[in-house]
Amino acid sequence: MSDLPKTFEPADIEEPLFAAWADAGYFRRDSAGFAENSLSPYTIVIPPPNVTGVLHMGHALNNSLQDILIRRARMQGRPTRWIVGTDHAGIATQNRVEQKLASEGLDRFDIGREVFVQKCWDWRRQYGSTIIGQLKGMGCSCDFDDEKFTMDPGYALAIRKVFVQWYHQGLIYRGLRIINWCPRCTTALADDEVEHIDECGHLWYLRYPLVEPVGETSYLVVATTRPETMLGDSGVAVNPTDERYVALLAAEAKIRLPLMDRVIPLVGDNYVDASFGTGAVKVTPAHDPNDFEIGQRHSLEQINIFNDKAEVNELGGRFAGLSREAAREAVVAAFEELGLLDHVEEHEHAVGHCYRCNTTVEPWASEQWFVRMQQLAAPAIAAVRDGRVRFNPQRWENVYFHWMENIRDWCISRQLWWGHRIPVFYCASCGWHDALEDNPDRCPKCGAAVRQDDDVLDTWFSSQLWPFATYGWPYDPKQAAELDAYYPTQVLSTARDIIFLWVARMIMSSLSFLDDAVPFTDVIIHPTVLDKSGNIMSKSRGNGIDPMELIAEFGADVMRFGLAAQVTGSQDMRFDKDKLAVYRNFATKIFNAARFVQMNLDDYRPLPGRVQPLPATLADRWILARLARLTAQLEQDQSSFNFGAQAHALYAFFWNEFCDWYIEFAKGQLAGGGNERQASQRNLVFVLDTALRLLHPMMPFLTESIWLQLPHGDERPSLVVAHWPNAAELAGYLDDEAERSIELTCTVVGAVRSTRARYRLAARTPLAVSIRLHGDTAAVDAALLKAQAEQVVSMAVCSDFSVGQECARPPQSVAVIAEGLEIFIKLEGQLDFEAERQRLKKEMASRRGDADRLGKKLANQGFMAKAASDVIEKTKNDLAVLEVELKRITAELEELG
RNA sequence: GGGCGUUUGGCGCAGUGGGAGCGCGCUUCCUUCACACGGAAGAGGUCACUGGUUCAAACCCAGUAACGCCCACCA
């Protein structure tokens, strides 16, 4: 056996194991053996990664959690389905394809819409499977045989149905609004696709001369952060109650707009905050949402001075052709020249940026399609309020409520070519237009040719249908049965930044189209993965970590376990690659424990069927009791999605209980031969087998590779489909007596080892040990310790070991006082009396302090009157124990002299 | 301007009312036949601060500070 490696090599086992699982069809929803039982199904839809995407740490975390959930459900025998696929990601993909074109010196208009869309499909075919392959590398057990894509033909039908129905219900409309325009992507963006970043800018104070002076006043001063937009000004607004301006308002003062020589009115509007700036606001209805509203109220002209690239157009007079940045400089310079620049202040303000390309967005008046949200939001709010959808951690529901209750209409049209084209058709001849599920050949009214709307839908419009469109809803013949069986899904796991963009909209659309069914019952908002210093990982910082590199270095199991271990309910996690060494060590520990078990099975004679434990000794009973507790604990932490606690419980059981103690006990039992050896072999196999099952969802590869070689006797061919250990079935092994016996054993062994270390004695130096027991538990404890004598002698290395209630203290011995017992360790001729006195005095002082505190408590009338009776009882007991121990220490000190 | 999160030994984190735990690191010892990616024994904390509630507070409440995140049309 010595030729076995001491560490396991993940790279050698991962690929072949995954291939075997896939070949066996374990991840398919209809794989044999699952659907035939009556357990409720367990379904997860993966948040579809972008086709252009590569795996980042957020994906690694998110998909680890989903795989842990789905693997456990699969082992529990539930019909499981983890739906996988990718999102066409309109803007992101289009940008990539445009970049590629640009490198060839082309833009999309050179090749036209049809060819461009074809190139997007080519891109998808070439790169669309990268992230799917990476998910497999992580060990994710998705239903890869049935991969979905948000541009699948069937998916397109779902989009059409939703659009047409909402359109005919009056929930979708077209309107002229100020929208967020990205001049680089040349498309509209929804409000939540804009990222506001605080920037240090300026507040320019510009003088606007009056056409006719009013009294002393010949000009107004307006403050603006965007002086270039003055080219499109069509008014100046002040608060009607602002005393500085009432006279001007009364006189209906007119302003001659500098540079443009346009006469514009002064209007009174309550929107204006008299305390900010000068209290006078220039109004640019075409380039600011507030100004747009003011303009509507006062019938001001909308003058759009920018083209779609945010360059000044012909309405910008002599500034036409300038970029917005150049226009700003030129306008300010012109004002300065004319003596109309009053002054400039530093000013920090939030500036919107495109969430895809980070370009500063331009508020721009244009015709766009919108979804009326209020009506859709109401039932979605109710679904979370009444608990049909739960957020985990729960606090995220507040974020959801706040957004939903202040929801605004959703701009869904995008001036892109890659995406689902808006299914609205126009007749150029008679003016007919309508939204239709099927493309019409000609105008149904006049028979003339029709034209489809040029815009495509926001990608999130299609993503919102993901939980049910992936079932083939609404027209696939199988969909009704499948939706009936698997819908709603159980869990939706995602990052907090798409609660609005995606989660909320899925809830709304599902309630709207699937008979008030929610799309999922639990939303898991996982923490954001930060770098080790607490910074967000980003390309620009260059601090991102590639999960595939982690897998190459540590293996997928270690990465998964390490990530899950850090999911503790906080909103961020700091990720330090070096800390994964801890979990690599754990994986090695598991591997070596398994190696130990294997090495001792040469003469193992399994009974038919799955291995059953044979609790022969207290140690056997103890490890089974601990295993039962662990299983129950995991069940509890699973239902609350506390992955960190699960990882910790598994780690502690396997390392500190199974390896540190049980395997050490087992060594003695194995050496004994005969029946004792047989029993021990069975217990080792059973506990290891059960532990591997419990570990499998987090560490699928390592556990499977061990399990396949373990003589567990299970007829199941793979751990992937082996039965999950049931806490109720193991509850019979709970055993207080065995736990007490091992507690005593560990106390004694620890005392001897500690003494040996203090006296710097070699580990193998045998020592004579005697135990004196006292108190109510003395008789039972004595029996338990006697039963463990062989173990104690071997593990503590004793030359002599005796246990008794009347046991006398040997002369020249170290005394260790513990609850219910005194441990005497004979050190003839070597005992350091002074050191022992000091040690015991320290022990005494510490116990004295505790006892005093408890005594005070019990003397406190408030405590006695109000504390719970079990707390009072416990306090009394603790004090009694301390008093006994203090008495014993005093006696020991007297004996030491 | 609102809202949320975090603050516990050098570092990373558990711990939702009965006087603090884990891992790493650190100190000492051990290459004993599963594992030095290991074993054994140790050291190390007035639980950010202030006040309150309570017989009892790391934990509940109020406020303060620092850091981080989200939302928001003050030009």
Side-chain angles (χ1 to χ4, degrees):
Chain A
M1 286 293 174
S2 58
D3 54 339
L4 279 175
K6 291 179 176 180
T7 56
F8 90 106
E9 289 302 325
D12 300 341
I13 61 167
E14 293 182 357
E15 264 196 54
L17 282 179
F18 194 90
W21 295 333
D23 288 347
Y26 295 145
F27 306 155
R28 299 164 59 129
R29 65 182 179 281
D30 51 359
S31 63
F34 296 145
E36 65 201 22
N37 65 55
S38 59
L39 296 173
S40 61
Y42 197 92
T43 320
I44 297 178
V45 286
I46 200 169
N50 291 351
V51 277
T52 60
V54 292
L55 201 70
H56 61 239
M57 288 309 295
H59 291 124
L61 169 63
N62 191 211
N63 292 300
S64 294
L65 302 186
Q66 290 171 69
D67 197 42
I68 289 165
L69 294 170
I70 207 89
R71 281 182 183 272
R72 190 188 75 232
R74 190 181 293 117
M75 290 175 75
Q76 285 171 333
R78 300 173 69 171
T80 56
R81 186 180 186 196
W82 186 4
I83 297 173
V84 70
T86 48
D87 191 298
H88 68 278
I91 299 183
T93 307
Q94 174 151 343
N95 284 352
R96 300 289 282 275
V97 175
E98 284 184 354
Q99 275 166 21
K100 196 174 164 217
L101 283 179
S103 73
E104 298 161 14
L106 296 168
D107 71 25
R108 62 177 156 128
F109 299 98
D110 292 332
I111 61 174
R113 184 166 190 153
E114 207 170 309
V115 176
F116 181 81
V117 169
Q118 208 45 56
K119 289 206 176 288
C120 290
W121 278 105
D122 291 344
W123 179 278
R124 163 178 154 61
R125 271 187 284 276
Q126 192 172 352
Y127 299 99
S129 57
T130 304
I131 198 162
I132 297 294
Q134 292 181 323
L135 289 172
K136 293 178 181 173
M138 280 183 60
C140 291
S141 58
C142 310
D143 187 1
F144 289 110
D145 290 347
D146 193 10
E147 190 184 323
K148 305 294 182 182
F149 181 52
T150 54
M151 295 261 284
D152 286 339
Y155 206 105
L157 298 178
I159 306 263
R160 299 280 287 243
K161 179 172 173 77
V162 168
F163 188 98
V164 170
Q165 185 166 322
W166 276 355
Y167 178 87
H168 289 136
Q169 289 173 341
L171 291 171
I172 289 181
Y173 66 92
R174 186 169 164 83
L176 177 69
R177 292 295 144 84
I178 297 282
I179 45 81
N180 308 289
W181 184 265
C182 175
R184 206 217 60 80
C185 303
T186 59
T187 181
L189 297 172
D191 292 333
D192 42 18
E193 291 176 314
V194 175
E195 283 178 1
H196 293 274
I197 301 169
D198 281 336
E199 285 183 0
C200 289
H202 299 278
L203 202 50
W204 282 274
Y205 287 79
L206 307 178
R207 291 179 184 175
Y208 278 16
L210 297 177
V211 174
E212 299 283 338
V214 176
E216 300 282 289
T217 311
S218 62
Y219 64 88
L220 285 169
V221 179
V222 297
T224 180
T225 54
R226 308 198 51 209
E228 68 279 11
T229 63
M230 62 75 57
L231 301 171
D233 280 4
S234 55
V236 171
V238 295
N239 192 293
T241 63
D242 191 336
E243 288 183 14
R244 291 170 293 181
Y245 301 113
V246 282
L248 291 175
L249 279 174
E252 295 187 6
K254 295 276 184 289
I255 291 131
R256 184 171 300 282
L257 186 66
L259 310 183
M260 300 305 287
D261 204 32
R262 180 157 68 228
V263 175
I264 59 175
L266 178 72
V267 299
D269 195 288
N270 285 321
Y271 164 74
V272 180
D273 176 359
S275 64
F276 188 87
T278 62
V281 184
K282 59 188 272 311
V283 183
T284 323
H287 296 292
D288 183 280
N290 301 308
D291 293 10
F292 181 85
E293 307 265 319
I294 295 172
Q296 299 257 299
R297 288 194 282 272
H298 301 279
S299 308
L300 301 179
E301 199 184 345
Q302 286 175 14
I303 305 167
N304 188 344
I305 58 153
F306 288 129
N307 65 17
D308 63 0
K309 300 267 195 307
E311 295 156 349
V312 178
N313 63 21
E314 69 284 357
L315 296 178
R318 62 180 160 107
F319 299 92
L322 295 180
S323 71
R324 52 187 170 172
E325 293 79 14
R328 175 174 300 179
E329 280 182 38
V331 165
V332 170
F335 267 79
E336 199 158 16
E337 212 167 287
L338 294 167
L340 295 175
L341 181 62
D342 198 87
H343 66 289
V344 186
E345 289 175 1
E346 302 268 303
H347 183 66
E348 190 177 303
H349 61 137
V351 179
H353 292 73
C354 173
Y355 83 133
R356 280 296 167 212
C357 72
N358 208 34
T359 303
T360 302
V361 300
E362 192 63 42
W364 208 49
S366 66
E367 287 271 341
Q368 302 288 345
W369 289 93
F370 295 87
V371 180
R372 255 182 253 287
M373 298 306 285
Q374 268 193 0
Q375 190 177 326
L376 291 166
I381 292 170
V384 175
R385 281 236 186 274
D386 62 25
R388 278 178 291 151
V389 177
R390 290 180 296 267
F391 277 82
N392 303 279
Q394 195 188 356
R395 70 184 123 85
W396 292 108
E397 70 181 28
N398 292 325
V399 175
Y400 172 86
F401 287 139
H402 183 260
W403 188 73
M404 292 291 271
E405 281 159 4
N406 296 283
I407 200 159
R408 291 191 285 167
D409 285 356
W410 174 18
C411 176
I412 51 169
S413 44
R414 297 289 179 277
Q415 287 65 50
L416 304 172
W417 287 351
W418 174 239
H420 291 281
R421 201 158 163 182
I422 288 177
V424 172
F425 299 85
Y426 307 88
C427 173
S429 161
C430 74
W432 167 91
H433 62 272
D434 199 0
L436 297 172
E437 287 195 47
D438 298 311
N439 290 5
D441 293 334
R442 55 192 68 255
C443 175
K445 221 168 153 191
C446 73
V450 293
R451 170 181 71 75
Q452 183 171 4
D453 197 293
D454 282 327
D455 290 351
V456 300
L457 287 161
D458 179 4
T459 301
W460 297 106
F461 192 91
S462 57
S463 315
Q464 69 173 338
L465 314 181
W466 184 250
F468 50 94
T470 46
Y471 283 94
W473 181 91
Y475 299 124
D476 186 307
K478 294 194 306 254
Q479 54 96 15
E482 293 221 320
L483 278 173
D484 193 45
Y486 289 96
Y487 202 82
T489 70
Q490 268 59 52
V491 164
L492 189 282
S493 175
T494 191
R496 62 173 176 265
D497 53 359
I498 52 176
I499 292 176
F500 313 138
L501 286 165
W502 192 44
V503 177
R505 288 169 182 159
M506 284 190 284
I507 298 174
M508 289 187 275
S509 63
S510 180
L511 290 169
S512 178
F513 283 95
L514 287 160
D515 297 325
D516 291 323
V518 295
F520 30 73
T521 50
D522 279 285
V523 178
I524 296 175
I525 302 297
H526 68 246
T528 303
V529 185
L530 308 177
D531 74 8
K532 64 178 175 184
S533 318
N535 299 306
I536 288 176
M537 289 184 179
S538 65
K539 301 129 273 167
S540 52
R541 287 176 203 261
N543 60 349
I545 296 175
D546 179 357
M548 299 315 287
E549 285 176 18
L550 294 179
I551 291 173
E553 185 175 350
F554 295 98
D557 292 323
V558 168
M559 180 186 74
R560 292 162 59 114
F561 195 89
L563 285 168
Q566 282 200 74
V567 177
T568 59
S570 106
Q571 69 174 9
D572 299 317
M573 69 158 78
R574 294 187 183 194
F575 187 83
D576 182 352
K577 176 173 101 80
D578 296 334
K579 293 264 156 64
L580 278 188
V582 171
Y583 303 105
R584 182 198 51 204
N585 296 353
F586 181 49
T588 307
K589 191 75 177 174
I590 295 169
F591 179 82
N592 278 298
R595 218 161 66 100
F596 169 82
V597 174
Q598 291 284 13
M599 283 175 172
N600 286 284
L601 294 180
D602 289 345
D603 57 337
Y604 175 56
R605 293 191 307 276
L607 299 172
R610 194 190 151 193
V611 60
Q612 293 300 315
L614 183 60
T617 64
L618 285 165
D620 295 336
R621 287 162 55 191
W622 168 76
I623 197 65
L624 292 167
R626 300 304 301 166
L627 187 63
R629 274 192 203 280
L630 169 71
T631 309
Q633 182 63 45
L634 289 178
E635 222 157 78
Q636 203 170 51
D637 290 327
Q638 277 153 1
S639 60
S640 58
F641 303 109
N642 194 341
F643 295 93
Q646 292 172 51
H648 186 257
L650 286 163
Y651 184 99
F653 170 81
F654 201 93
W655 198 312
N656 303 125
E657 296 182 334
F658 183 59
C659 292
D660 286 353
W661 290 101
Y662 186 71
I663 285 185
E664 295 308 315
F665 290 137
K667 285 175 182 172
Q669 295 180 211
L670 289 166
N675 289 341
E676 202 180 349
R677 180 173 168 86
Q678 282 290 317
S680 190
Q681 285 171 330
R682 272 171 62 179
N683 293 324
L684 282 167
V685 172
F686 177 79
V687 175
L688 181 59
D689 170 57
T690 308
L692 290 173
R693 290 169 197 254
L694 296 172
L695 281 160
H696 180 259
M698 289 196 183
M699 306 183 116
F701 295 110
L702 170 64
T703 51
E704 171 84 327
S705 72
I706 295 169
W707 195 78
L708 289 177
Q709 297 182 46
L710 193 69
H712 45 67
D714 193 324
E715 79 286 359
R716 291 274 169 170
S718 163
L719 199 43
V720 175
V721 291
H723 291 297
W724 182 255
N726 185 319
E729 287 167 13
L730 289 170
Y733 293 114
L734 292 171
D735 189 335
D736 291 344
E737 192 180 65
E739 292 194 61
R740 171 64 181 163
S741 84
I742 300 306
E743 186 190 338
L744 287 166
T745 306
C746 294
T747 302
V748 173
V749 172
V752 177
R753 285 173 175 171
S754 180
T755 301
R756 200 179 269 117
R758 274 194 296 120
Y759 281 88
R760 301 185 170 277
L761 301 175
R764 305 300 309 173
T765 312
L767 296 172
V769 176
S770 48
I771 312 286
R772 181 159 69 200
L773 296 140
H774 42 76
D776 300 341
T777 55
V780 175
D781 284 356
L784 292 175
L785 264 179
K786 279 177 187 160
Q788 281 292 94
E790 208 177 317
Q791 299 285 12
V792 173
V793 167
S794 137
M795 292 175 76
V797 190
C798 303
S799 56
D800 187 53
F801 182 70
S802 59
V803 179
Q805 286 166 260
E806 305 306 326
C807 172
R809 175 184 178 162
Q812 299 243 1
S813 63
V814 169
V816 178
I817 313 300
E819 181 174 345
L821 71 162
E822 289 164 281
I823 303 156
F824 302 118
I825 301 149
K826 213 166 168 191
L827 283 179
E828 260 169 304
Q830 296 181 75
L831 193 71
D832 182 337
F833 286 86
E834 185 49 29
E836 290 308 313
R837 270 192 291 272
Q838 291 309 320
R839 197 190 99 247
L840 287 169
K841 279 179 182 167
K842 242 177 99 179
E843 297 265 311
M844 182 143 85
S846 137
R847 282 182 174 75
R848 189 75 264 164
D850 288 345
D852 286 351
R853 180 175 46 77
L854 296 181
K856 264 190 200 164
K857 245 178 156 173
L858 289 166
N860 182 334
Q861 299 209 331
F863 177 76
M864 297 305 285
K866 297 190 178 176
S869 61
D870 60 323
V871 173
I872 295 176
E873 217 37 50
K874 181 182 183 303
T875 309
K876 282 181 178 168
N877 285 337
D878 290 352
L879 181 58
V881 167
L882 284 170
E883 293 295 0
V884 171
E885 289 178 14
L886 281 165
K887 231 172 79 189
R888 296 290 162 179
I889 294 172
T890 309
E892 305 305 341
L893 277 169
E894 276 171 14
E895 288 203 37
L896 277 172

